Amino acid sequence: MSALLPTYQRHNIELVEGTGSFVKDTQGITYLDFMMGIAVCNTGHRHPYVEQRLKEQLGQLWHTSNLFESSKQERVATLLTENSHLSHAFFCNSGTEANEGAFKLIRKWTQKTEILSFSQSFHGRTFAMMGATGQEKVKEGFGEMVADFKHLVFNDLSSLDAITEKTGAVWLEIIQGEGGVIVADDAWLEALMKRTKAYGVKIVVDEVQTGIGRTGSRFAFEQTPLKPDIITVAKGLGSGFPVGAIITTAEAATIFTPGTHGSTFGGNPLAMTAAEATLDLLLTDELLHEVQEKGNYLMRRLAAELPETSLHSVRGRGLMIGIEFERPVAGIVQALQQVGMLVVSAGPHVVRLLPSLFVTREELDLALEKIKQVCQQEVMV
Ligand SMILES: Cc1ncc(COP(=O)(O)O)c(C=O)c1O
């Protein structure tokens, strides 16, 4: 019997080693990893530069407290905000925690309790973030949610009429990850931006999954007409080391003043070393451009070469890709494991591909071969 609370339905595989795009299990079986801990290891497994920097930091200092100055936090905050309208960061330990902090910030900043989020969205598992999330299955059995959040239809122009002077914030993902890799339309975002501006409503963009180069720009919002007041990040920020952040404008510095928010571990020297090394590697124009090119290449070939009989659509941006099938994909995810490839689903019909941002063309081609092989088997069944 397991000593763990059964909150996860686990695959019968234990991974014990990882290098670049590959992981190995306890049986010595190697897998091409196209889920990367669900969009976490954006630099691949154990990138030598991140590993070296962490080793150095392990020999210096592991933890102090946010009661002391931190030039490392300053440096990471600068990397996350330079050349943008955003200028301030708060460090925490996960995506949910970043969102929970953003929720507090919005409450105090706007003094309003109505926040609009969207159907199929996912924002985390704390009590408030269950409320923000637009998926019933996440809330089942937990009773009344925090009343602040109302859910609108994603990508629907008329739903934006709900934004009024009563609204404190609109809260969204640019590409809904857990919801099925659903990309927000630019025209819809344009209208959302206009309407929020007209009513003085704040915009919170949850970049927990889309951020840190995943979509081919530092953050996904940078490829859209949106100018958010707050973004939240986590997942890819630490290359596998737990770290999250709220990133916002200078005005928020008058709201989150001493004593209003905090975290014991948030921004500790190990987390900041992982984040700084990750950002040094990923935030180059060359790498971000390559992410776009590699993503376009993979999407183009998937759309052209997968058997049409079972395929609904291929979509995404950069290296955040969803393949929607007509039928449930649980069998495809398992069949891919059997041919040595790891992917994660996004809802019942979508296979999500989230490879390392350093994935090579050869690895993309290998992934294509494996996916094609499994889809052809599925068509035959
Ligand atoms: C968009 C988004 N927001 C928030 C979260 C929650 O992040 P975490 O699991 O780090 O708390 C996730 C996790 O999948 C996510 O995809």
Side-chain angles (χ1 to χ4, degrees):
M1 199 185 80
S2 170
L4 303 176
L5 284 171
T7 54
Y8 289 95
Q9 254 185 333
R10 295 172 192 265
H11 300 291
N12 192 17
I13 294 174
E14 183 167 359
L15 303 168
V16 285
E17 263 179 63
T19 308
S21 287
F22 294 92
V23 282
K24 211 184 250 188
D25 73 6
T26 45
Q27 312 297 309
I29 300 171
T30 298
Y31 300 87
L32 176 64
D33 188 353
F34 265 47
M35 62 184 279
M36 283 294 154
I38 318 187
V40 168
C41 306
N42 285 9
T43 55
H45 290 284
R46 291 194 310 111
H47 191 287
Y49 176 69
V50 183
E51 187 167 291
Q52 184 54 36
R53 293 284 307 274
L54 276 170
K55 276 184 180 158
E56 283 163 20
Q57 189 59 44
L58 275 169
Q60 282 174 10
L61 184 67
W62 296 4
H63 182 79
T64 56
S65 156
N66 282 312
L67 295 174
F68 297 99
E69 294 290 348
S70 172
S71 56
K72 281 182 181 296
Q73 286 189 20
E74 297 284 351
R75 162 111 172 104
V76 177
T78 302
L79 286 171
L80 289 169
T81 57
E82 62 193 349
N83 307 320
S84 82
H85 69 288
L86 303 167
S87 55
H88 285 66
F90 172 89
F91 292 104
C92 55
N93 311 286
S94 72
T96 312
E97 210 185 312
N99 281 335
E100 191 74 20
F103 173 59
K104 277 178 66 178
L105 181 55
I106 283 294
R107 266 281 189 107
K108 190 155 187 272
W109 200 346
T110 66
Q111 296 293 309
K112 291 178 185 171
T113 54
E114 180 184 275
I115 300 177
L116 303 174
S117 62
F118 293 92
S119 48
Q120 303 108 226
S121 61
F122 184 78
H123 300 295
R125 301 278 190 172
T126 56
F127 222 86
M129 285 308 115
M130 279 199 296
T133 293
Q135 300 187 37
E136 280 317 305
K137 66 176 184 199
V138 169
K139 317 175 194 199
E140 254 166 43
F142 292 101
E144 291 273 300
M145 292 290 120
V146 174
D148 296 47
F149 294 93
K150 285 189 188 147
H151 299 97
L152 310 181
V153 179
F154 194 69
N155 269 342
D156 176 63
L157 272 175
S158 64
S159 75
L160 301 179
D161 295 348
I163 301 171
T164 67
E165 57 284 331
K166 281 202 291 189
T167 313
V170 176
W171 197 297
L172 75 158
E173 297 155 88
I174 303 292
I175 303 176
Q176 293 188 322
E178 301 305 307
V181 192
I182 302 166
V183 185
D185 298 336
D186 265 0
W188 181 68
L189 290 177
E190 185 98 49
L192 190 154
M193 184 70 215
K194 261 198 199 135
R195 182 110 186 164
T196 48
K197 211 169 174 190
Y199 288 99
V201 172
K202 305 262 179 258
I203 300 175
V204 182
V205 175
D206 180 337
E207 295 259 11
V208 168
Q209 194 159 151
T210 51
I212 321 297
R214 175 56 57 193
T215 67
S217 51
R218 180 170 46 179
F219 307 114
F221 87 82
E222 292 170 325
Q223 296 179 58
T224 76
L226 282 196
K227 215 167 166 217
D229 300 279
I230 301 175
I231 65 170
T232 53
V233 294
K235 287 191 183 282
L237 180 55
S239 287
F241 204 98
V243 49
I246 304 166
I247 305 169
T248 184
T249 63
E251 198 189 329
T254 64
I255 313 296
F256 260 8
T257 49
T260 50
H261 197 52
S263 165
T264 295
F265 291 121
N268 96 356
L270 287 169
M272 288 299 98
T273 301
E276 187 184 355
T278 301
L279 296 176
D280 283 347
L281 287 171
L282 296 183
L283 300 190
T284 71
D285 290 344
E286 197 188 344
L287 191 271
L288 295 173
H289 182 69
E290 275 175 24
V291 169
Q292 289 181 16
E293 291 219 309
K294 287 188 274 199
N296 290 340
Y297 170 79
L298 186 55
M299 281 192 276
R300 195 171 55 243
R301 285 202 54 193
L302 285 166
E305 295 173 35
L306 288 187
E308 261 175 50
T309 37
S310 58
L311 190 66
H312 188 275
S313 69
V314 176
R315 53 182 183 249
R317 199 166 277 165
L319 288 168
M320 179 169 180
I321 296 171
I323 316 172
E324 182 164 0
F325 291 87
E326 298 289 351
R327 63 168 99 174
V329 295
I332 296 180
V333 172
Q334 264 191 351
L336 280 168
Q337 288 173 2
Q338 276 153 21
V339 298
M341 180 172 175
L342 302 181
V343 296
V344 62
S345 59
H349 292 271
V350 178
V351 167
R352 203 170 2 161
L353 304 181
L354 301 161
S356 158
L357 304 190
F358 287 110
V359 68
T360 63
R361 285 280 167 143
E362 292 72 32
E363 289 160 355
L364 292 178
D365 290 346
L366 183 61
L368 270 160
E369 285 316 309
K370 288 180 188 290
I371 297 167
K372 272 161 55 181
Q373 181 189 342
V374 161
C375 286
Q376 268 146 14
Q377 282 165 13
E378 288 274 311
V379 171
M380 310 285 277
V381 177

